[in-house]
Amino acid sequence: MTIKNTLTLRNLYFFLCIVLLLLIGYKGVHIYQKIQTMAQAERLYAQKKLVQAEEWYQKASRNHSLLYKEALLASRLQELAPITSMKQNLSSLDQRLNQVGEAGDFSAFMNVYAELLDAEEKLTGHQGSYASYYDEIVAFYGIPDDVKRIFLQFIGLFNRQADEQLEELQYDDNSFKWNLLRIPDSFYGGEKQKDEKLLSLFQRYDETVMTRLAGAGHYAELLNWSHAISSEYASRSVKAAWVSGKTDELVLAMLQKDAQRERPADFVSHAKGYRDYLNRSNQQNSDMLEYIQNQINRWILAADEMVTEQNYEEAVALYEALSGYQDMSRPLQAAKLAWTIHDPIRLFNMADIQGSFSYVSGGGKRFGGLAYAIGVDEGNIIYLAVLNADESVQLFQNHDFPSEIAIRQVSIEESLSTETNPVVLVEGGTGTDLVWYSAYEARASNLIPLFQFTAESYQILPDKSLLVTNFEGASPEEIAIFERQGDQYGFTGFQPNYTDIDIADIESHRNKKVRFTINILAGGYGEALAERDGHYVILRGELDFPAGSASIIGTFSEYQQMEIPGSQDPPASDPTEPEDIPAEGDSMEETDIPGDSVPTEVINPEDAQPDNSESRDSTETAKLTQVPVIQVESVE
């Protein structure tokens, strides 16, 4: 063995000795600690400080360096087992409270807090003589201080959350309120202090939110938010009168602004929303509703005045705006009808007819409807529209009016129209003094042609026949007759333009066309003498006058003096029988042949006077007298 080996072995022995001494010392220390721990536990036990004693007994039981009074230790621990159990439960709860509190999880914290309260109830009620040690145990772990500290942290957190939501304009989350309400009164200093602090916070927050919503024009959101938060408060038995009060204040301000700016549509929208809000919230506000109704009534009167002033468009718009709050169907319908009667073109628009219309007219309560309109479009299409009682429009039209005819007037032909079949008269220009007349009868959604002619004018007789003056294609002096034949009118002839008289009355019809029957004494061309019942006339005209009885149409305008053959009072003769014509070879005085040898003198009827003096002896066969001259148009 070398010196080196000797030294190394010594060192090893020396090191082992040191380690052994350290172990003996460590063992000794733990032995001493167990003895002291056991002694301290016994002192505390003797002093009835059982919670602290249990803690020292537990320390001693965990020290296995020495078997020292093990039986006593086991006995004591068994005796103090209820305290051990309480400490274990409360220690676990305290740890969990701190964990969820540090995590900021309020719901989890309240759950653990509820377990703590439950444990308190159980431990203080079922642990017998050891129940009195509950408060000492929780104080031993500092649980009351931990709970208070964490609750105060959450109170601060939720107050900051309210401010942050206002800054971020986020108003949907009200959980901070309900969380604050869940915190026990004691952590606010008592029930009264809690109510004062929370209600003040809630009111400030709610009024700020509602004011901002109203200021931004978010009226519906304001009412919805107010209703929702009121329901939330009611479900938690929180008396939040400021919500309805602030809502009413903001709504009134909005309504007053709408009224001042004469915005009935906005006013009605806000008023209806507010009324619905009251119904949903089961609230009443008679003052507000009275104000709304008074303003509505003021606008109704204004709309009525607009109708009176024929300002129908604005009246209808106002009635329609107000109808959002209350039933305005009757005045609205009346205003629309008055507007349609005043402006009939609206009926064409209601019937969805596109185009430009002219010669539009109309009226009300005719032809089985509330109103009607007539007119033509740029294509000469003729329209009749009737507004039915159900506000539907019945349309009649005709597409056959000549496009080359310039329409001058469109009207209802009153004399031919009936309540069920109105007649539309269209007058057109012809480039002359004559007028193009076209009439159309409304039947089966169409305007059926009733008559069409060109003339100067026409008139309708009581029997509904037409007398047409200066009918195109006829003599200007002739009056054409049109009569209805089925569904249309047709030409049936001309109206006589003379008066039937007796020849004795000829002188009372001066310058008038008349017709009479007379006996032509001798036929001839251009002129003839005629007589009936002793009354003589001279017939004159560019036509043949056959001898015998004839019907004459002509005009008396002058007298002519001539010698009349025969006596002054000739015997009466049958006007229907022609007088005898002298046979060939019979003698006739020259004075019997008119126009040849009889001296004549034309006399104006105004200057003529009856000649009562005798110019010849009564025995003479002829005399000179004034005879009416007839300008003859026809001989029948």
Side-chain angles (χ1 to χ4, degrees):
M1 179 179 294
T2 64
I3 297 175
K4 182 177 181 179
N5 292 334
T6 302
L7 293 174
T8 300
L9 184 59
R10 183 184 298 171
N11 292 337
L12 176 59
Y13 290 151
F14 182 73
F15 176 75
L16 291 175
C17 289
I18 292 174
V19 170
L20 182 60
L21 290 174
L22 291 174
L23 290 175
I24 293 172
Y26 178 78
K27 181 73 172 178
V29 170
H30 279 77
I31 291 172
Y32 175 77
Q33 288 178 342
K34 183 169 184 176
I35 294 171
Q36 293 297 319
T37 300
M38 190 66 183
Q40 179 67 16
E42 283 296 307
R43 284 194 296 272
L44 292 172
Y45 180 82
Q47 297 172 4
K48 302 299 182 181
K49 297 179 179 181
L50 301 184
V51 175
Q52 297 178 33
E54 191 273 342
E55 183 69 19
W56 284 96
Y57 284 129
Q58 290 292 344
K59 287 183 179 181
S61 67
R62 292 191 294 270
N63 191 332
H64 301 289
S65 60
L66 176 67
L67 295 176
Y68 178 71
K69 296 183 179 182
E70 295 298 323
L72 179 62
L73 177 59
S75 175
R76 296 285 192 243
L77 287 176
Q78 184 176 2
E79 180 185 352
L80 298 176
I83 293 178
T84 302
S85 175
M86 283 193 291
K87 288 178 64 179
Q88 290 175 346
N89 290 336
L90 293 174
S91 175
S92 174
L93 289 172
D94 185 46
Q95 290 178 2
R96 292 171 58 198
L97 285 172
N98 283 280
Q99 289 175 354
V100 296
E102 291 177 1
D105 189 343
F106 183 73
S107 296
F109 176 80
M110 290 303 295
N111 291 334
V112 178
Y113 181 70
E115 292 182 32
L116 177 63
L117 297 179
D118 185 60
E120 178 182 4
E121 181 180 0
K122 291 180 179 179
L123 294 176
T124 56
H126 300 87
Q127 297 299 326
S129 60
Y130 294 102
S132 61
Y133 294 102
Y134 175 82
D135 292 337
E136 185 178 350
I137 295 173
V138 296
F140 176 79
Y141 289 110
I143 293 177
D145 293 337
D146 291 339
V147 170
K148 181 178 181 179
R149 173 179 54 81
I150 296 172
F151 269 129
L152 292 178
Q153 287 178 356
F154 279 118
I155 290 174
L157 173 65
F158 297 141
N159 276 270
R160 290 192 301 274
Q161 182 180 345
D163 294 334
E164 290 172 358
Q165 289 184 183
L166 290 177
E167 291 177 2
E168 297 172 359
L169 306 181
Q170 299 296 325
Y171 312 132
D172 295 333
D173 185 7
N174 288 283
S175 61
F176 71 91
K177 298 178 183 178
W178 323 137
N179 290 338
L180 288 171
L181 288 172
R182 293 178 66 186
I183 296 176
D185 301 347
S186 59
F187 299 101
Y188 293 97
E191 181 181 0
K192 181 179 180 180
Q193 290 81 353
K194 177 182 180 180
D195 290 344
E196 290 177 352
K197 292 178 181 179
L198 294 188
L199 296 184
S200 176
L201 171 65
F202 296 169
Q203 181 174 357
R204 175 181 63 85
Y205 179 87
D206 294 344
E207 291 183 348
T208 300
V209 171
M210 291 188 290
T211 301
R212 289 182 179 180
L213 291 175
H218 299 155
Y219 185 76
E221 293 183 25
L222 164 65
L223 297 180
N224 291 336
W225 193 92
S226 175
H227 170 70
I229 200 65
S230 296
S231 300
E232 293 279 7
Y233 282 135
S235 66
R236 293 168 174 81
S237 300
V238 177
K239 297 179 180 180
W242 66 83
V243 176
S244 59
K246 190 64 175 180
T247 302
D248 293 345
E249 174 189 333
L250 295 172
V251 169
L252 179 59
M254 282 189 173
L255 293 174
Q256 289 175 337
K257 184 179 294 184
D258 294 335
Q260 291 170 1
R261 295 179 179 180
E262 290 296 331
R263 294 180 176 176
D266 293 342
F267 183 94
V268 166
S269 176
H270 293 154
K272 185 175 183 298
Y274 178 73
R275 185 175 62 184
D276 294 343
Y277 158 79
L278 291 180
N279 293 334
R280 285 183 295 160
S281 304
N282 294 321
Q283 299 181 29
Q284 295 291 332
N285 190 328
S286 58
D287 292 340
M288 182 76 81
L289 294 178
E290 182 180 2
Y291 167 77
I292 292 173
Q293 190 60 57
N294 289 339
Q295 181 58 43
I296 293 291
N297 293 339
R298 185 178 74 82
W299 272 321
I300 292 176
L301 290 177
D304 294 342
E305 291 178 2
M306 292 175 186
V307 172
T308 302
E309 296 170 357
Q310 297 185 348
N311 188 3
Y312 300 110
E313 186 172 3
E314 292 187 14
V316 168
L318 185 51
Y319 283 134
E320 288 179 340
L322 300 179
S323 64
Y325 187 79
Q326 67 184 52
D327 182 18
M328 301 299 299
S329 57
R330 295 184 66 180
L332 179 59
Q333 183 180 18
K336 287 183 176 180
L337 178 59
W339 187 9
T340 300
I341 295 173
H342 179 75
D343 186 10
I345 200 171
R346 281 172 42 84
L347 271 180
F348 298 146
N349 297 330
M350 293 169 63
D352 294 328
I353 306 175
Q354 305 298 323
S356 176
F357 302 93
S358 55
Y359 302 103
V360 178
S361 62
K365 293 185 178 180
R366 293 197 64 185
F367 312 129
L370 301 175
Y372 75 93
I374 57 175
V376 297
D377 65 9
E378 61 271 19
N380 277 7
I381 299 176
I382 305 164
Y383 294 99
L384 166 65
V386 178
L387 179 63
N388 297 322
D390 60 359
E391 296 189 350
S392 63
V393 178
Q394 187 176 9
L395 186 65
F396 304 86
Q397 51 189 314
N398 182 279
H399 297 251
D400 300 329
F401 191 86
S403 59
E404 68 275 9
I405 300 296
I407 295 177
R408 293 179 178 178
Q409 185 176 346
V410 179
S411 61
I412 292 292
E413 179 49 84
E414 301 290 349
S415 299
L416 298 180
S417 295
T418 65
E419 190 64 16
T420 55
N421 298 108
V423 174
V424 179
L425 177 64
V426 182
E427 301 177 30
T430 61
T432 66
D433 293 337
L434 302 182
V435 179
W436 177 288
Y437 293 102
S438 292
Y440 302 89
E441 187 176 54
R443 281 185 278 119
S445 300
N446 290 303
L447 291 176
I448 307 300
L450 193 61
F451 63 76
Q452 189 174 87
F453 51 75
T454 300
E456 180 181 334
S457 63
Y458 73 90
Q459 69 179 97
I460 301 174
L461 299 181
D463 64 356
K464 303 304 181 183
S465 62
L466 310 181
L467 296 183
V468 181
T469 302
N470 201 1
F471 177 56
E472 186 177 45
S475 171
E477 298 179 357
E478 292 184 304
I479 306 297
I481 301 175
F482 281 74
E483 295 179 343
R484 184 152 186 168
Q485 301 170 343
D487 292 337
Q488 292 184 327
Y489 275 80
F491 173 74
T492 58
F494 293 99
Q495 182 188 45
N497 57 350
Y498 50 80
T499 303
D500 285 312
I501 65 170
D502 187 88
I503 188 61
D505 299 325
I506 186 65
E507 294 184 62
S508 64
H509 292 80
R510 187 176 58 195
N511 294 324
K512 296 180 181 178
K513 187 179 294 187
V514 294
R515 185 177 72 168
F516 56 88
T517 301
I518 200 165
N519 183 40
I520 300 175
L521 299 178
Y525 179 83
E527 186 173 295
L529 180 64
E531 177 272 340
R532 181 176 180 180
D533 296 335
H535 297 280
Y536 290 86
V537 295
I538 297 174
L539 305 179
R540 187 174 294 164
E542 297 182 357
L543 67 165
D544 288 317
F545 296 103
S549 179
S551 292
I552 304 298
I553 297 176
T555 304
F556 158 58
S557 60
E558 60 183 358
Y559 289 98
Q560 179 175 317
Q561 287 188 347
M562 65 176 299
E563 292 182 357
I564 301 299
S567 65
Q568 185 178 359
D569 297 317
S573 62
D574 187 355
T576 62
E577 293 294 334
E579 295 187 2
D580 293 337
I581 300 176
E584 184 178 354
D586 290 348
S587 63
M588 177 179 292
E589 295 182 4
E590 292 180 354
T591 56
D592 291 340
I593 303 175
D596 290 339
S597 60
V598 178
T600 62
E601 181 182 357
V602 177
I603 302 175
N604 189 289
E606 283 80 0
D607 299 331
Q609 298 294 331
D611 187 5
N612 297 322
S613 63
E614 293 183 359
S615 60
R616 291 182 182 161
D617 189 83
S618 60
T619 59
E620 294 178 346
T621 59
K623 66 177 181 177
L624 185 65
T625 187
Q626 297 179 30
V627 178
V629 178
I630 309 298
Q631 190 67 38
V632 179
E633 291 186 7
S634 66
V635 178
E636 299 177 357

